[in-house]
Amino acid sequence: MTRPNFDAARMLGHYRTMSRIRAFEEAAEAGQKSGEVRGAVHLSIGQEAIASGVCVNLAAADYIVSTHRGHGHSIAKGADVGAMMAELYGKAGGTCRGKGGSMHIADFTIGMLGANGVVGAGIPIAAGAAHAVKLRGGGEVVVCFFGDGAMNRGPFLEGLNWARIYDLPILFVCEDNGFAATTRTRSLSGGRGPDARAESLGIPAMEIDGNDVQLVDETASGLLSAIRAGGGPRFLLCRTYRLKGHTAHDTAPYRPASEVEERRRHDPILKCREALLLHGVPAAELERVEAEAKAEVGSAVETARRMPWPDQSIAWEDVQDVGAAQWR
Amino acid sequence: MTRPNFDAARMLGHYRTMSRIRAFEEAAEAGQKSGEVRGAVHLSIGQEAIASGVCVNLAAADYIVSTHRGHGHSIAKGADVGAMMAELYGKAGGTCRGKGGSMHIADFTIGMLGANGVVGAGIPIAAGAAHAVKLRGGGEVVVCFFGDGAMNRGPFLEGLNWARIYDLPILFVCEDNGFAATTRTRSLSGGRGPDARAESLGIPAMEIDGNDVQLVDETASGLLSAIRAGGGPRFLLCRTYRLKGHTAHDTAPYRPASEVEERRRHDPILKCREALLLHGVPAAELERVEAEAKAEVGSAVETARRMPWPDQSIAWEDVQDVGAAQWR
Amino acid sequence: MAVMTYLEAGRRALEEEMRRDPRVWALGEDLGRGGVFGQYKGLQETFGPARIVDTPISEAAIMGAAVGAAMVGTRPVVEMRFADFALCAVDELVNQAAKARYMFGGQGRVPLVVRQPSGMWRSSAAQHSQSLEAWYAHIPGLVVVCPATPADNHGLLAAAIRCDDPVVYMEHKDLWGLEGEVPEGAEPTALGKARRVRAGGDITIVTWSKMVHVAAEAAAMLERDGIAADLIDLRTIWPWDREMVLGSAGTTRRCLVVHEAVQAGGFGAEIAATVAEELGVKVKRLGAPRLPVPYAPPLEEACKIAPERIVAAAREML
Amino acid sequence: MAVMTYLEAGRRALEEEMRRDPRVWALGEDLGRGGVFGQYKGLQETFGPARIVDTPISEAAIMGAAVGAAMVGTRPVVEMRFADFALCAVDELVNQAAKARYMFGGQGRVPLVVRQPSGMWRSSAAQHSQSLEAWYAHIPGLVVVCPATPADNHGLLAAAIRCDDPVVYMEHKDLWGLEGEVPEGAEPTALGKARRVRAGGDITIVTWSKMVHVAAEAAAMLERDGIAADLIDLRTIWPWDREMVLGSAGTTRRCLVVHEAVQAGGFGAEIAATVAEELGVKVKRLGAPRLPVPYAPPLEEACKIAPERIVAAAREML
Ligand SMILES: Cc1ncc(C[n+]2csc(CCOP(=O)(O)OP(=O)(O)O)c2C)c(N)n1
Ligand SMILES: Cc1ncc(C[n+]2csc(CCOP(=O)(O)OP(=O)(O)O)c2C)c(N)n1
Ligand SMILES: [Mg+2]
Ligand SMILES: [Mg+2]
């Protein structure tokens, strides 16, 4: 069945973005397994449609705040894949000069204000960014991504309430992949869900299939328009599934293979591909896009590998201005 | 109009409890003004019906967790007024040996697990007490008192969710006096209110007039029965008004005199008095009760005044067992 | 020069900085009513509720929002009411504000000031009396300031607001009413520079915040006995003025550090250890016993340092 | 005697204490799956989900609930996953757990253990690498333990669980796989007592946690040059074993303190300052520079202490 409002070019853009994210995540996984990528790495494989569908509606000046699972958001917002990969490899040319790694990926030049190693910590930070935008009378919006597990942290309540009472230009996007690490989030969450909590704080909330990139795009577009028009905060709950383990090392033995199998059929890239084919985009075109994505990431990996380590002297930079030379 | 289910003896009990609280608060206020009572003192004048109406339904073995505004809860739960006053005076015979003062009033012998100087901090503590009760298979319940201002702190969400998911025997009582210190709470709170937030976390919630002691009593009785029957947590929102300032030093210039005047007519003690008279309890009886309350508190003040300061050596006690003698 | 209170000096510094720089704003509970101690009195009338922001009781969000707002180019001044309540926002201050610039490789800066009124005051007991400057001094990325005088509460708060680093700014609650001269139109006081309260060659006494005044009393008492103390008000705890302290201790060969905070693990240990390492001279610390602050006056007294104790400690070292 | 890992030793201690005392229970995220490092493996199968409790991501409630549950007679073992996440629960630990007994005049006790896996491990960067033992040592009411060996992770965890005070228990993430002998059926290790790793008369080296092993390497290197180090594993940071440390430093006249935590304001300062105050002997500290822990291996290296640096520092003191 063809879809209403299908925009083949836009969808092909999503296909490209999602393919680039997927390729990046697969390379990150391989890098972690080989030991070249260190620290903890959280892959967004299976969740690409949310990053792509939301961020396509953002301008470079708009901001996003991300989570420990932040590669996809960064790529969708426009971060350079080469610098990102270099960061994962801990190299001098990384987005964070090798100081952050996967969990602290960030690119302030395109408004990506950072991944975060602390669940839920991004929520008040994002609210504050939106507060600053409003304070200076700017027209930017802020998108705050977080997982379903974050709904049980206090800053969820405090940050959402904050956005509501000051009427801030912010879209909260909850990526509900059903899991908080190895635990099914719903088993430890009272009430109907994060959207009900948002509503109880006075923020209009919607729930959608987060694996349908067109739907995410259209919904986010509508919500962001309302926000840009001064409508205050909105909440978007996206149902999705984490096709991989919690970290790149986690084989996720805590869920039945059949469940994963079932969910694999709802892979957002697969769905997007089907829609594109159905609407007459030739398969060869899609393969070309995929190949380009893989090539881009492949060369990012090669470059990262060859890149030098950061010079140890930079360890002493970027700490603070006052007392910058006083280490003890 | 006479009331259904009016139990004159029980209501007279409330009248006594509320009068004792009122007398205590007035003495505390005087003590603070004279400088004999130090630290910060938060008076519950105008909110007595909640403490009395809820606590009358508790056994000595049941627990309560309180706030910075904790005198009323303590008295209603059965704490000794003499020891409480001695605590406010910082004397050796105080419930906390003079170490806590008003903000840390506590009496573990009657299950009063403490006031708290940190807004909202009691909520997870109360949930934990209920968790322990459940863990050891006890039949006790826990009542957690807090103010409307606490609904904007993260531990509100975390503690309520906790009580819900582990199905704990706990009644959350929100004393909604409309103010968080000098600020109208609703102006800084998104959504419909604390009860809506509780419901979004899966906890059944009710809202009542917290100045009607009979109503508080009956409602709490019903909720506590449900909890004791294993029904899990409940939430009770009591609308009330703080007839005095935030602290005993606060003259509350931030609210119109007319508002306070209006609210004075809903003074819970006045309301209880009217109901008792209407149901034929003689005025003399009520005056006797009041006089007794005043006398009890008056002698508590006298005793506290005369009591010696704690010996400085006890400053070194009650810190910890391990390393108890190592102060530096 | 004008004589004003420590409280008023801080209020003015904020007002002046807000006039000077439209990016500066303040947020915290009850600020519209002047703040819990009156240190924001009149500012909302002057600057409006968008720049003097009344917040809910949401310390984590107050601090977290300030981090986000600072990253995006504004300069928030965060009011925590009591330093003790900042413990509800430690992730936001320590994991986020302090580390953001570093872990993002210098991309973001977090120019915020966290005002944390500290110390013992009117029998406020265990949850309203803490002095935790040593904690924040231990955290890379943070600047820690403890003003002792009206002039410094003016000059250092201005400097903190202009600083591009996150600054923990600890006013002492027992100093609000202290009066003193504040130079008008002066430049902000340099962060990281100590102040020599009085010069002397017999013993170095290093201290900060309210203890500066207690130590000054002690120094006067010592002087009557012909002992000249070199009294240093550290002012900034991190970075601390090693140069002045080591210079003085190198001359006097004795260094006594006095602070109101718990002695065990207090910042006095850092100074004493450094002096001992670098100079091998006599060191001694005076701080509170490791006790939660009790309520009753005679018990609270057990946590306080009287001038006589400083005098006795100094005498022992001579 | 049985040989096991540091991780397994901790797991066993908890298992044994849970068998011994039905009031003991554990709570934290993902415990049912064994915990994030496997240190709870199998325990939920043995004790059921009511005693090995899977919690939501609610650090404040985890800690706060443990406080309430401890007050009411149970003995919770709190798992914080990474010490860094405990910063989301500082009010609960520092304002509540640590102070409850005192501010309520001894009425309540809070016998809980907070496990806070600490330290640098596999390039975990700024928010997953901190060592904050100095913070908790500064807080009256808290006991702070940093086990370095499998035997101690067994004996000290058992002691911490039996202790009636709130205990901050900091396992080092880089030691999970370390193997060593653990005596069977032994009594818990006494809290507050250091362990002499090796005896020597030339220099005292005081350290704890992972640095014990680094310092042992350094001591072996020194020995080859004929320098005998008296190596002390502090084990408990608060209360620390002043007697053993002062006894040793009084003999060797030199005391070097080594820890992984940031040197500035680290607990080494407390020890060095105390030794200098009490004995007036040479002191020196080695700790991390005041940097957030960076990700890239060569940068992270800048925060680490190699045995060679200990050797050099010791040499300088001789
Ligand atoms: C405050 C805090 N607690 C615990 C963790 C450990 N942790 C990292 S990710 C994660 C699960 C988060 O679940 P969710 O928010 O649903 O995001 P997802 O991983 O599913 O994307 C946990 C528990 C953390 N990083 N921060
Ligand atoms: C975490 C925290 N923030 C701020 C304060 C200061 N404070 C004490 S009481 C209070 C107002 C509390 O309002 P509410 O919860 O409604 O209780 P009420 O005073 O009305 O009884 C505030 C802001 C505090 N004690 N703790
Ligand atoms: Mg999830
Ligand atoms: Mg209120």
Side-chain angles (χ1 to χ4, degrees):
Chain A
M1 209 179 63
T2 59
R3 292 167 164 237
N5 306 322
F6 192 87
D7 175 337
R10 195 168 174 101
M11 278 295 269
L12 197 59
H14 283 307
Y15 194 73
R16 181 174 300 111
T17 301
M18 293 196 291
S19 297
R20 292 172 70 227
I21 298 173
R22 180 70 54 97
F24 187 90
E25 297 296 41
E26 286 173 348
E29 186 179 28
Q32 174 112 101
K33 288 193 173 148
S34 74
E36 289 164 297
V37 173
R38 296 163 182 247
V41 172
H42 304 84
L43 308 171
S44 66
I45 290 177
Q47 307 183 196
E48 295 92 341
I50 304 168
S52 187
V54 170
C55 291
V56 75
N57 293 291
L58 300 178
D62 292 323
Y63 299 103
I64 66 169
V65 170
S66 177
T67 66
H68 55 288
R69 203 176 298 287
H71 306 159
H73 308 141
S74 306
I75 293 173
K77 186 67 172 63
D80 179 68
V81 163
M84 284 178 62
M85 192 60 77
E87 186 59 32
L88 266 61
Y89 274 72
K91 296 302 180 68
T95 52
C96 305
R97 312 178 80 194
K99 292 182 177 181
S102 165
M103 264 192 296
H104 307 298
I105 203 94
D107 187 347
F108 281 52
T109 61
I110 48 101
M112 158 53 180
L113 299 178
N116 209 307
V118 179
V119 170
I123 299 176
I125 292 176
H131 205 136
V133 166
K134 181 164 179 177
L135 202 57
R136 66 184 187 210
E140 305 93 336
V141 295
V142 178
V143 173
C144 177
F145 291 101
F146 53 92
D148 46 330
M151 75 166 135
N152 291 323
R153 283 216 57 226
F156 175 95
L157 178 149
E158 296 193 11
L160 265 68
N161 184 60
W162 193 278
R164 170 72 285 164
I165 61 175
Y166 302 115
D167 242 333
L168 303 179
I170 182 167
L171 176 63
F172 294 103
V173 178
C174 179
E175 303 192 59
D176 184 359
N177 60 16
F179 285 89
T182 69
T183 304
R184 291 194 195 264
T185 310
R186 282 303 190 285
S187 68
L188 297 174
S189 308
R192 208 186 70 217
D195 49 337
R197 297 184 184 186
E199 279 166 358
S200 81
L201 296 161
I203 301 185
M206 290 188 63
E207 183 188 353
I208 60 167
D209 175 1
N211 281 17
D212 180 338
V213 73
Q214 186 187 345
L215 182 61
V216 174
D217 181 346
E218 287 168 3
T219 312
S221 166
L223 295 174
L224 287 164
S225 298
I227 294 166
R228 287 190 208 276
R234 292 290 188 279
F235 191 96
L236 179 60
L237 174 59
C238 296
R239 283 188 315 274
T240 184
Y241 194 78
R242 197 187 69 200
L243 287 171
K244 293 284 182 163
H246 173 56
T247 63
H249 286 308
D250 173 24
T251 55
Y254 43 81
R255 54 191 199 184
S258 59
E259 176 180 311
V260 184
E261 219 32 71
E262 204 309 273
R263 296 305 196 115
R264 231 185 265 288
R265 272 183 273 128
H266 298 281
D267 182 326
I269 299 187
L270 205 69
K271 276 182 139 178
C272 180
R273 182 186 178 85
E274 282 162 4
L276 283 162
L277 291 172
L278 189 69
H279 285 84
V281 178
E285 176 81 2
L286 302 183
E287 268 131 46
R288 196 177 54 75
V289 166
E290 274 169 64
E292 275 171 13
K294 285 200 178 125
E296 180 192 10
V297 169
S299 93
V301 168
E302 275 325 300
T303 309
R305 269 204 188 112
R306 280 195 308 268
M307 217 179 255
W309 290 115
D311 191 89
Q312 209 179 51
S313 67
I314 79 152
W316 274 262
E317 295 172 8
D318 308 319
V319 184
Q320 59 194 103
D321 290 343
V322 177
Q326 195 165 328
W327 305 116
R328 20 169 216 127
Chain B
M1 205 180 61
T2 59
R3 295 169 162 231
N5 307 319
F6 192 86
D7 176 338
R10 195 169 174 103
M11 278 293 270
L12 196 59
H14 284 307
Y15 195 73
R16 181 174 300 111
T17 302
M18 293 195 292
S19 299
R20 294 173 70 225
I21 298 173
R22 180 70 54 96
F24 187 90
E25 298 295 41
E26 286 171 348
E29 187 179 26
Q32 173 112 101
K33 289 193 171 146
S34 73
E36 290 164 298
V37 172
R38 298 163 179 247
V41 172
H42 304 84
L43 308 170
S44 65
I45 290 177
Q47 308 184 195
E48 296 91 341
I50 304 168
S52 187
V54 170
C55 292
V56 74
N57 293 291
L58 300 178
D62 292 323
Y63 299 103
I64 67 168
V65 170
S66 179
T67 67
H68 53 288
R69 204 176 297 286
H71 306 160
H73 308 140
S74 306
I75 293 174
K77 186 67 171 63
D80 178 68
V81 163
M84 283 177 62
M85 192 59 77
E87 186 59 32
L88 265 61
Y89 274 72
K91 297 301 181 69
T95 52
C96 305
R97 312 178 79 194
K99 294 183 176 180
S102 165
M103 264 193 296
H104 308 298
I105 203 92
D107 188 346
F108 280 54
T109 61
I110 48 101
M112 158 53 182
L113 299 179
N116 208 308
V118 180
V119 169
I123 300 177
I125 292 177
H131 205 136
V133 165
K134 181 163 179 177
L135 202 58
R136 66 184 187 210
E140 306 93 336
V141 296
V142 178
V143 173
C144 176
F145 291 101
F146 54 93
D148 46 329
M151 74 165 136
N152 291 324
R153 283 214 58 225
F156 176 95
L157 178 149
E158 295 192 13
L160 265 67
N161 184 60
W162 193 279
R164 171 71 286 164
I165 60 175
Y166 302 115
D167 242 333
L168 303 178
I170 182 166
L171 176 63
F172 294 102
V173 178
C174 180
E175 302 191 60
D176 184 0
N177 60 16
F179 285 89
T182 70
T183 304
R184 291 195 195 263
T185 310
R186 282 304 190 284
S187 68
L188 297 174
S189 308
R192 208 186 70 218
D195 48 337
R197 297 184 184 187
E199 278 166 358
S200 82
L201 295 162
I203 302 184
M206 288 189 65
E207 183 189 353
I208 60 167
D209 174 1
N211 281 18
D212 181 336
V213 72
Q214 186 187 345
L215 182 61
V216 175
D217 180 345
E218 287 169 4
T219 312
S221 166
L223 295 174
L224 287 164
S225 297
I227 294 166
R228 286 190 209 277
R234 291 289 189 280
F235 191 96
L236 179 60
L237 175 60
C238 295
R239 283 188 314 274
T240 185
Y241 194 77
R242 198 187 68 199
L243 288 172
K244 294 283 182 163
H246 173 57
T247 63
H249 287 306
D250 174 24
T251 56
Y254 43 81
R255 54 192 197 185
S258 59
E259 175 181 311
V260 183
E261 220 32 71
E262 206 306 278
R263 296 306 196 114
R264 232 184 264 290
R265 273 183 272 129
H266 298 282
D267 182 325
I269 299 187
L270 205 70
K271 275 185 142 176
C272 180
R273 183 186 177 84
E274 281 162 6
L276 283 161
L277 291 172
L278 189 69
H279 286 84
V281 178
E285 175 82 4
L286 302 182
E287 269 130 45
R288 195 178 52 76
V289 166
E290 275 170 60
E292 276 172 15
K294 284 199 177 126
E296 180 191 11
V297 169
S299 92
V301 168
E302 276 324 300
T303 310
R305 271 202 185 115
R306 281 193 308 269
M307 218 178 254
W309 290 115
D311 191 90
Q312 208 180 53
S313 67
I314 78 153
W316 275 262
E317 294 172 8
D318 307 319
V319 185
Q320 58 194 106
D321 290 344
V322 176
Q326 194 164 329
W327 304 116
R328 10 163 229 136
Chain C
M1 278 292 191
V3 171
M4 65 183 79
T5 61
Y6 182 85
L7 181 144
E8 173 62 11
R11 207 196 60 76
R12 288 229 191 152
L14 178 58
E15 181 172 352
E16 288 159 13
E17 292 307 307
M18 286 184 70
R19 281 194 205 287
R20 206 185 52 80
D21 185 346
R23 297 169 305 170
V24 178
W25 59 298
L27 65 166
E29 298 152 14
D30 298 299
L31 298 198
R33 299 281 157 203
V36 67
F37 301 104
Q39 69 276 53
Y40 295 85
K41 190 130 264 152
L43 295 181
Q44 198 175 63
E45 286 82 342
T46 306
F47 297 106
R51 286 184 72 199
I52 297 287
V53 177
D54 276 313
T55 69
I57 311 177
S58 303
E59 280 73 12
I62 296 170
M63 194 84 85
V67 174
M71 279 180 176
V72 163
T74 70
R75 304 181 79 86
V77 176
V78 173
E79 176 57 55
M80 278 285 125
R81 202 170 181 125
F82 281 75
D84 315 72
F85 305 157
L87 302 193
C88 300
V90 173
D91 174 58
E92 291 73 16
L93 177 55
V94 169
N95 282 336
Q96 312 297 336
K99 296 176 174 46
R101 178 174 169 194
Y102 193 83
M103 69 193 176
F104 298 142
Q107 296 185 74
R109 292 201 171 210
V110 187
L112 60 79
V113 179
V114 193
R115 292 174 83 172
Q116 299 199 8
S118 297
M120 286 180 258
W121 174 72
R122 296 194 189 169
S123 293
S124 298
Q127 290 177 334
H128 289 72
S129 302
Q130 292 169 91
S131 296
L132 292 174
E133 65 274 16
W135 271 32
Y136 303 112
H138 189 44
I139 302 300
L142 297 179
V143 174
V144 184
V145 179
C146 292
T149 65
D152 275 351
N153 204 23
H154 183 268
L156 289 169
L157 185 55
I161 293 172
R162 295 194 198 179
C163 178
D164 284 335
D165 302 321
V167 179
V168 178
Y169 194 84
M170 309 183 107
E171 285 149 301
H172 197 293
K173 299 192 288 287
D174 218 22
L175 295 180
W176 290 127
L178 180 75
E179 296 201 326
E181 294 202 328
V182 175
E184 253 151 302
E187 278 299 291
T189 310
L191 297 171
K193 296 283 170 230
R195 178 175 71 95
R196 175 161 277 115
V197 180
R198 43 166 297 154
D202 295 328
I203 182 169
T204 302
I205 303 182
V206 181
T207 187
W208 54 88
S209 190
K210 186 187 159 189
M211 281 296 134
V212 169
H213 308 287
V214 179
E217 267 189 71
M221 290 160 76
L222 287 166
E223 187 172 43
R224 273 175 244 137
D225 293 348
I227 301 165
D230 204 38
L231 179 59
I232 296 175
D233 170 4
L234 211 51
R235 304 204 283 196
T236 304
I237 308 309
W238 193 272
W240 61 287
D241 195 337
R242 285 165 64 100
E243 207 178 319
M244 189 186 291
V245 171
L246 293 175
S248 170
T251 306
T252 63
R253 314 297 296 165
R254 300 170 172 81
C255 182
L256 174 63
V257 194
V258 183
H259 56 60
E260 178 176 321
V262 164
Q263 179 171 316
F267 199 69
E270 179 63 31
I271 297 169
T274 303
V275 169
E277 285 169 333
E278 303 286 323
L279 305 171
V281 302
K282 277 194 199 168
V283 295
K284 194 170 178 68
R285 295 168 296 151
L286 274 182
R290 196 170 172 278
L291 299 180
V293 178
Y295 170 72
L299 302 185
E300 198 188 43
E301 218 45 61
C303 292
K304 290 188 175 169
I305 297 166
E308 291 74 17
R309 281 190 57 207
I310 302 180
V311 169
R315 281 247 172 68
E316 245 179 61
M317 295 177 78
L318 292 166
Chain D
M1 281 292 193
V3 171
M4 64 183 79
T5 61
Y6 182 86
L7 181 144
E8 173 62 11
R11 208 196 60 77
R12 289 231 190 152
L14 177 58
E15 180 170 356
E16 288 159 15
E17 291 307 307
M18 287 185 71
R19 281 194 204 289
R20 205 185 52 82
D21 184 346
R23 297 169 306 170
V24 177
W25 58 299
L27 64 166
E29 299 152 15
D30 299 299
L31 299 198
R33 299 281 156 203
V36 67
F37 301 104
Q39 71 276 53
Y40 295 86
K41 191 129 261 155
L43 295 181
Q44 197 176 66
E45 286 81 341
T46 307
F47 296 106
R51 286 184 73 199
I52 296 287
V53 177
D54 277 312
T55 69
I57 310 177
S58 303
E59 279 74 12
I62 295 170
M63 194 83 85
V67 173
M71 280 180 175
V72 162
T74 69
R75 306 182 76 86
V77 176
V78 172
E79 175 57 53
M80 278 284 125
R81 200 170 181 128
F82 281 74
D84 314 72
F85 306 157
L87 302 193
C88 301
V90 173
D91 172 58
E92 292 72 16
L93 178 55
V94 169
N95 282 337
Q96 312 298 336
K99 297 176 173 45
R101 180 175 168 193
Y102 193 82
M103 69 192 175
F104 298 143
Q107 295 185 75
R109 292 200 171 212
V110 187
L112 59 77
V113 179
V114 194
R115 293 175 82 171
Q116 298 199 7
S118 296
M120 287 180 258
W121 173 72
R122 293 195 192 169
S123 295
S124 298
Q127 290 178 334
H128 288 72
S129 301
Q130 290 168 93
S131 295
L132 293 173
E133 65 274 16
W135 272 31
Y136 303 112
H138 188 45
I139 302 300
L142 297 179
V143 174
V144 184
V145 179
C146 292
T149 64
D152 274 350
N153 204 23
H154 184 268
L156 289 169
L157 185 54
I161 294 171
R162 294 192 200 181
C163 178
D164 284 335
D165 303 321
V167 179
V168 178
Y169 193 84
M170 309 184 106
E171 286 150 300
H172 197 294
K173 298 193 287 289
D174 217 23
L175 295 180
W176 290 127
L178 179 76
E179 296 203 325
E181 292 203 329
V182 175
E184 252 150 305
E187 278 299 290
T189 309
L191 297 171
K193 296 282 169 230
R195 178 176 69 96
R196 175 160 275 117
V197 181
R198 42 167 298 156
D202 296 326
I203 182 167
T204 302
I205 303 181
V206 180
T207 187
W208 54 88
S209 190
K210 185 186 159 189
M211 279 297 133
V212 169
H213 307 287
V214 179
E217 265 188 72
M221 289 159 77
L222 288 166
E223 187 173 40
R224 272 175 245 136
D225 293 345
I227 302 164
D230 206 37
L231 179 58
I232 296 175
D233 171 4
L234 211 51
R235 305 206 281 199
T236 305
I237 308 307
W238 193 272
W240 62 286
D241 194 336
R242 285 166 64 98
E243 206 179 319
M244 190 187 288
V245 171
L246 292 175
S248 170
T251 307
T252 63
R253 312 299 296 166
R254 297 169 174 85
C255 181
L256 174 63
V257 194
V258 183
H259 56 61
E260 179 177 321
V262 165
Q263 179 171 316
F267 200 70
E270 180 63 32
I271 297 169
T274 304
V275 168
E277 285 169 333
E278 302 285 324
L279 305 171
V281 304
K282 279 194 198 167
V283 294
K284 196 174 178 62
R285 295 168 295 151
L286 274 182
R290 197 170 173 278
L291 299 180
V293 178
Y295 170 72
L299 302 186
E300 197 188 45
E301 217 48 59
C303 292
K304 290 188 176 170
I305 297 166
E308 291 73 16
R309 279 190 56 207
I310 304 180
V311 169
R315 282 245 173 70
E316 247 178 61
M317 296 176 76
L318 292 166

